[in-house]
Amino acid sequence: MRVLVTGAAGFVGGHVVDACLRRNWQVTALTRPESDAKKLKALGVGLISSPQLRSAMEEIDVVVHCAAKVGDWGPYEEYRQANVDYLRTLLDACKGQAVSRVIVISSLGVYPMRHHYQSDETMPIVANNRDAYSRSKVEAEKVALQYYRDFEVPIVLLRPGFVYGPGDNTVLPRIIQTLRKQGARYPGGGNAALNTIFVRNLVDAIFLAIQAEGAVGQTYNLTDGETVSKRRFMEKIADAMQLPHPWRRPPIWFAWSATWISETLAKLRGSKEAPAFNFTRLKFMGYNLDFSIEKAKRELGYRPRTAFEEAMNETLSWWKSQPAQPTS
């Protein structure tokens, strides 16, 4: 199997590359000039840039699109360029080619910002999400499905929740820093569900989506399939790092109001850094994020192999083994 992976130098993409190589698949990575490709080169992964994409696609069987700009702040156009325009370039190169699958990694963030209780894929996604990342993912999904309808590009959309695991050098460090500074809060009390998915469970789902008959043109929610509260998640990290547990539990209406004021003032100042209170963090820490994965189980045969406790133990052991961790 010849597979093209975008975002191969990143967290999820790196795990996909490793899994492909374990299967003895031939891997090509679409990289940007600013990407650190040293590890990929050492693994024998072929590297191409955007101008080479169309010709390279003639030798590709499967595409796994992991590349994305993630974050909780910043101009929409920056997210749109990375998450929509980049995808459009990739899909243009796929038109008329013999690729059997194009796996597009989206996000559960495309759903409305509210409490969810086993929300499934029949729920409409919303274009007016408050954060630029989620809005760009909604637009990217529409582009992907347009290429499926108009050009028969064999799209499969996967919507994972919050991805965690070894190799996460972005979100986990921020959480640890927030805990260290005692800045974490539980709007609404901390018992609401978090939509976690261990990175290897996500990789399993990607390979199932590559192989499953009838998956083309479909969309699938993905989580660990296990109820994990905000408190359980945060306190697991705090205990491993010997940090105090969060204790503040503001009512969610109060947290929403404070967040609105915080974001409004930050926008008026033209702040390039996310304010301490922003809607992405409020959604992460305050709302019940419980999504159904029954469709993925039924149609892909998805069964999360690694339970939360084992996955977090492995993740935190990996983190503590990393050199030069910040201490303040």
Short mmCIF file of all heavy atoms in Angstrom, two decimals, residues 8-10 31-41 47:
data_model
loop_
_atom_site.label_atom_id
_atom_site.label_comp_id
_atom_site.label_asym_id
_atom_site.label_seq_id
_atom_site.Cartn_x
_atom_site.Cartn_y
_atom_site.Cartn_z
N ALA A 8 2.65 14.86 8.74
CA ALA A 8 3.39 13.67 9.20
C ALA A 8 4.41 14.01 10.28
O ALA A 8 4.83 13.12 11.03
CB ALA A 8 4.08 13.01 8.01
N ALA A 9 4.82 15.27 10.35
CA ALA A 9 5.78 15.66 11.39
C ALA A 9 5.10 16.04 12.70
O ALA A 9 5.77 16.33 13.69
CB ALA A 9 6.63 16.84 10.89
N GLY A 10 3.77 16.00 12.70
CA GLY A 10 3.02 16.38 13.89
C GLY A 10 2.65 15.21 14.78
O GLY A 10 3.08 14.07 14.56
N THR A 31 5.04 17.81 3.19
CA THR A 31 5.56 18.65 4.26
C THR A 31 5.62 20.11 3.82
O THR A 31 5.71 20.42 2.63
CB THR A 31 6.97 18.22 4.69
OG1 THR A 31 7.85 18.29 3.56
CG2 THR A 31 6.96 16.80 5.23
N ARG A 32 5.58 20.99 4.79
CA ARG A 32 5.75 22.41 4.55
C ARG A 32 7.20 22.79 4.83
O ARG A 32 7.90 22.08 5.57
CB ARG A 32 4.81 23.22 5.45
CG ARG A 32 3.34 22.87 5.25
CD ARG A 32 2.46 23.71 6.14
NE ARG A 32 1.07 23.26 6.07
CZ ARG A 32 0.06 23.90 6.67
NH1 ARG A 32 0.29 24.98 7.38
NH2 ARG A 32 -1.17 23.44 6.56
N PRO A 33 7.67 23.91 4.25
CA PRO A 33 9.08 24.29 4.45
C PRO A 33 9.49 24.42 5.90
O PRO A 33 10.63 24.14 6.27
CB PRO A 33 9.17 25.64 3.72
CG PRO A 33 8.08 25.60 2.70
CD PRO A 33 6.96 24.81 3.32
N GLU A 34 8.53 24.84 6.76
CA GLU A 34 8.88 25.06 8.17
C GLU A 34 8.84 23.78 9.00
O GLU A 34 9.21 23.79 10.19
CB GLU A 34 7.93 26.10 8.79
CG GLU A 34 6.48 25.67 8.87
CD GLU A 34 5.67 26.03 7.63
OE1 GLU A 34 6.27 26.25 6.57
OE2 GLU A 34 4.43 26.08 7.74
N SER A 35 8.42 22.67 8.43
CA SER A 35 8.32 21.42 9.18
C SER A 35 9.69 20.83 9.48
O SER A 35 10.60 20.91 8.65
CB SER A 35 7.49 20.40 8.40
OG SER A 35 6.18 20.86 8.19
N ASP A 36 9.82 20.21 10.66
CA ASP A 36 11.04 19.51 11.02
C ASP A 36 10.91 18.06 10.52
O ASP A 36 10.17 17.26 11.09
CB ASP A 36 11.23 19.53 12.54
CG ASP A 36 12.54 18.87 12.97
OD1 ASP A 36 13.26 18.36 12.08
OD2 ASP A 36 12.83 18.86 14.17
N ALA A 37 11.60 17.76 9.44
CA ALA A 37 11.45 16.45 8.79
C ALA A 37 12.61 15.51 9.08
O ALA A 37 12.74 14.48 8.41
CB ALA A 37 11.30 16.66 7.29
N LYS A 38 13.41 15.80 10.07
CA LYS A 38 14.58 14.96 10.35
C LYS A 38 14.18 13.53 10.68
O LYS A 38 14.77 12.57 10.18
CB LYS A 38 15.40 15.56 11.50
CG LYS A 38 16.07 16.88 11.16
CD LYS A 38 16.80 17.43 12.38
CE LYS A 38 17.40 18.81 12.07
NZ LYS A 38 18.05 19.40 13.27
N LYS A 39 13.18 13.37 11.55
CA LYS A 39 12.75 12.03 11.94
C LYS A 39 12.19 11.28 10.74
O LYS A 39 12.46 10.08 10.55
CB LYS A 39 11.71 12.10 13.05
CG LYS A 39 11.20 10.71 13.48
CD LYS A 39 10.09 10.79 14.50
CE LYS A 39 9.53 9.41 14.80
NZ LYS A 39 8.38 9.45 15.75
N LEU A 40 11.42 11.97 9.91
CA LEU A 40 10.82 11.33 8.74
C LEU A 40 11.91 10.83 7.79
O LEU A 40 11.82 9.72 7.25
CB LEU A 40 9.88 12.30 8.03
CG LEU A 40 8.66 12.74 8.83
CD1 LEU A 40 7.90 13.84 8.09
CD2 LEU A 40 7.74 11.55 9.12
N LYS A 41 12.91 11.66 7.58
CA LYS A 41 14.02 11.26 6.71
C LYS A 41 14.72 10.04 7.26
O LYS A 41 15.06 9.10 6.53
CB LYS A 41 15.01 12.41 6.55
CG LYS A 41 14.50 13.57 5.70
CD LYS A 41 15.56 14.67 5.61
CE LYS A 41 15.07 15.85 4.78
NZ LYS A 41 16.07 16.93 4.72
N LEU A 47 9.65 12.50 0.98
CA LEU A 47 9.17 13.85 1.28
C LEU A 47 8.86 14.59 -0.02
O LEU A 47 9.66 14.58 -0.95
CB LEU A 47 10.21 14.63 2.07
CG LEU A 47 10.70 14.00 3.38
CD1 LEU A 47 11.76 14.88 4.02
CD2 LEU A 47 9.54 13.77 4.34
#
